[in-house]
Amino acid sequence: MSQTSRPGLLHDPDFGRLFAATALGQLGDRIIFLALPLVAIEALDADEFRVGLLAAMTTAGSLLVGLPAGAWVDRVRKRSVMISTDLVRALVLSTIPVAWWADLLTIWWLYAVALVHGVLTVFFDVSYVSFLPHLVGRERLMEGNAKLSAIRSVTSISGPTVAGPMVGLVGAPATLLASAAGMAMSGLLALTIRTREQRPEPSEHPRLGREIREGLRFVLGHPALRAVMAGDAIFNLFLVMYQTMLLVFLERKLGLQPFGVGLVLSGMGCGALLGALLAKRVSARIGHGPVIWLASLVTCPLTALMPLARPGWSGYVAACGLAALSLGGVVRVVAQSSLQQALTPDRLLGRVSATARFVSWGGIPLGGLLGGVSGSAFGATATLWVGAVGMTLSALPTFLSPLRTLHSLPADRDPEFAR
C-alpha cells in the first residue's frame, strides 16, 4: 500500500511482474481462442454442432465449480492458486499436439482438454481478480484494471497475428505448444511476486454451503451488482453464440485463410486496446454508471455488419464493427470490475468474484451449445444476426438500475447508493 505515492503502478516492481505475467498468460489464451476451434475444424473436420459443443465445454467450468471456487479461494492465498493453475493449464494443453503427433487425437480428447482447462481457468480468474486489491490498494483499482486491460488488449492484437501464420505454417495442434509455453512462463513470473496477502483466518466451523450463500446474498442483494450480473449474463450468452459461428462464417462464407482470420481478430484487439487506454477518461467524463450501459448500447449494434458482409471490402468494414464491440466491451469491463472490487469487503473478494462469474458466465456454455444448434439448423449468418440483437439488449438491466445516474465509485457504506 505504501507504493501508492509513486507516479504510476508500473513503477511498482510487483505490479510490473503481474503485468508481465498477464501479458504472457493472455498471449497464450488468445492463441487458444484461434487454434483450438481450428484444430476441430481443420484437423478433425468437425461440423458446426461439434464446434459449438467444443465452445460450450471450454466454458462449462463456470457452471461446474463457479460458486464453490470462490469459497475455496477465500480460504487460501490467491497468488498460490494463480501459480499452480497456470502451470497445470500449460501441461494439459500440451497433450493436444502430443496426441495429434501420435495419431490419437479425437474430438472427445478436445472436449476433455477444453473442460479441464476451463475449470482451472475459473480458479485462476477468481484468484486474479481477488488478488489485485491486495496488491495495489482499493484507491488505485481503476488504474490497475485499466493497465491490465491494456496489456490484455495488446495480446489480443498480437496473439491472432502470431497464431494465424503459425497455424498456416505448422498446423493448429502444434500451435497450441506456444500457448502452453506462455501460460507456463506466466506462472513462473507470478512466482517472483513478493507481495503476500495475509493468510485468511480459518473459520472455526467452515461450511462450504454457508460461505457460498454469503457471497450470493451480497451480490444479489446489491442493486448495482445485481444489474451488472444480469447484463453480463445476457451479453455473454449472445456473444458466445456469435463467436461460435464467427470463425465458421469467416472461413466458409468469406473464404478467409488462417492469416486473414487472425487479422480480423487482431482488429478486435486494436479496439480493445483503445478501450483500455480510454476507459478511465471516458468513465470520468460520462460517469461511472452511465458508461457501463452506454458502452453496450452504442457498440453492440455494429456487430450486425458481419452477417451483411460478403467476400471483399465489406468484410473489412464488418471487422471494424467487431473492433468497436471490443472497445466498448473493455470500457464496460474496466468500469464494472472497479465497481465490484470497490464495493466488496476483503474477506468476500473471492466469493463475490466467483458469484459474479457464475451468474454472468453461467449462460456461456448454453450460448456455445445454442450457437452450434442454430448454426446447424439455420446457418452461421442467421446465428450472427441473433447474437447481434441479443448483445444490444444486454444494456437494459444496467440502464434500469441505479447505475443510470451513478457518476463516481461509491463506498460500500454509502446508504443512499445501497438503498
Side-chain angles (χ1 to χ4, degrees):
M1 302 304 174
S2 62
Q3 305 291 340
T4 57
S5 60
R6 294 188 175 184
L9 282 175
L10 290 179
H11 290 269
D12 186 320
D14 277 343
F15 183 82
R17 295 183 183 103
L18 179 65
F19 188 83
T22 300
L24 289 169
Q26 288 294 314
L27 180 62
D29 191 62
R30 297 311 297 176
I31 293 174
I32 294 173
F33 178 78
L34 177 63
L36 192 60
L38 288 179
V39 172
I41 293 171
E42 294 186 350
L44 301 178
D45 196 26
D47 58 19
E48 286 84 353
F49 177 77
R50 290 187 175 184
V51 174
L53 186 56
L54 179 62
M57 298 297 288
T58 303
T59 54
S62 296
L63 287 177
L64 296 177
V65 298
L67 290 177
W72 288 327
V73 166
D74 274 338
R75 297 177 181 178
V76 297
R77 289 192 173 105
K78 283 71 176 172
R79 171 181 163 275
S80 302
V81 180
M82 292 164 54
I83 295 168
S84 58
T85 50
D86 255 345
L87 297 178
V88 176
R89 285 191 298 172
L91 180 63
V92 169
L93 282 173
S94 64
T95 66
I96 293 179
V98 172
W100 178 62
W101 286 326
D103 201 23
L104 297 174
L105 186 63
T106 65
I107 191 66
W108 296 104
W109 192 300
L110 288 186
Y111 291 158
V113 169
L115 180 61
V116 173
H117 181 272
V119 169
L120 292 170
T121 299
V122 171
F123 282 94
F124 176 86
D125 287 348
V126 170
S127 303
Y128 182 87
V129 172
S130 306
F131 181 65
L132 185 62
H134 292 285
L135 185 65
V136 305
R138 292 176 178 270
E139 67 277 8
R140 306 196 75 173
L141 285 174
M142 178 64 78
E143 181 186 356
N145 282 313
K147 282 183 166 58
L148 293 175
S149 292
I151 192 59
R152 285 195 293 266
S153 302
V154 170
T155 58
S156 295
I157 301 169
S158 57
T161 303
V162 171
M166 192 178 296
V167 168
L169 183 64
V170 301
T175 301
L176 288 174
L177 279 179
S179 178
M183 290 193 171
M185 293 174 67
S186 173
L188 295 176
L189 263 175
L191 189 63
T192 66
I193 295 175
R194 297 178 181 178
T195 298
R196 303 287 191 276
E197 73 268 32
Q198 292 184 352
R199 184 183 295 276
E201 294 183 5
S203 174
E204 294 182 3
H205 305 287
R207 292 183 180 178
L208 186 62
R210 183 177 61 189
E211 294 171 356
I212 291 173
R213 286 194 298 272
E214 188 177 8
L216 275 169
R217 280 197 302 270
F218 183 84
V219 172
L220 299 181
H222 201 294
L225 295 180
R226 186 170 63 242
V228 166
M229 301 314 132
D232 264 1
I234 297 171
F235 178 83
N236 289 330
L237 171 70
F238 289 100
L239 174 65
V240 173
M241 283 189 66
Y242 192 97
Q243 288 179 330
T244 300
M245 288 298 106
L246 178 60
L247 291 180
V248 176
F249 183 86
L250 292 175
E251 183 170 324
R252 296 179 180 173
K253 299 293 184 180
L254 298 187
L256 296 182
Q257 299 301 313
F259 180 74
V261 174
L263 286 179
V264 172
L265 299 182
S266 294
M268 295 178 69
C270 291
L273 175 58
L274 184 59
L277 296 176
L278 295 176
K280 187 176 179 180
R281 186 179 304 173
V282 172
S283 294
R285 180 92 174 184
I286 299 177
H288 205 91
V291 77
I292 293 176
W293 58 268
L294 273 173
S296 296
L297 191 61
V298 171
T299 61
C300 288
L302 298 177
T303 57
L305 294 172
M306 184 57 70
L308 292 172
R310 298 294 180 267
W313 64 268
S314 61
Y316 299 104
V317 174
C320 293
L322 297 183
L325 174 72
S326 296
L327 186 155
V330 170
V331 170
R332 178 178 57 84
V333 167
V334 168
Q336 290 179 175
S337 298
S338 302
L339 176 73
Q340 174 185 311
Q341 292 162 340
L343 292 175
T344 305
D346 285 347
R347 65 184 185 86
L348 290 175
L349 280 168
R351 275 167 283 179
V352 169
S353 174
T355 301
R357 184 187 178 96
F358 178 81
V359 174
S360 61
W361 287 42
I364 289 181
L366 178 61
L369 188 59
L370 289 176
V373 171
S374 176
S376 297
F378 307 110
T381 303
T383 304
L384 294 183
W385 275 111
V386 173
V389 172
M391 285 187 283
T392 303
L393 294 176
S394 69
L396 282 176
T398 47
F399 175 75
L400 298 174
S401 77
L403 293 172
R404 185 172 65 254
T405 57
L406 175 70
H407 289 286
S408 60
L409 281 177
D412 60 330
R413 295 178 295 277
D414 185 341
E416 179 63 23
F417 184 73
R419 184 181 66 81

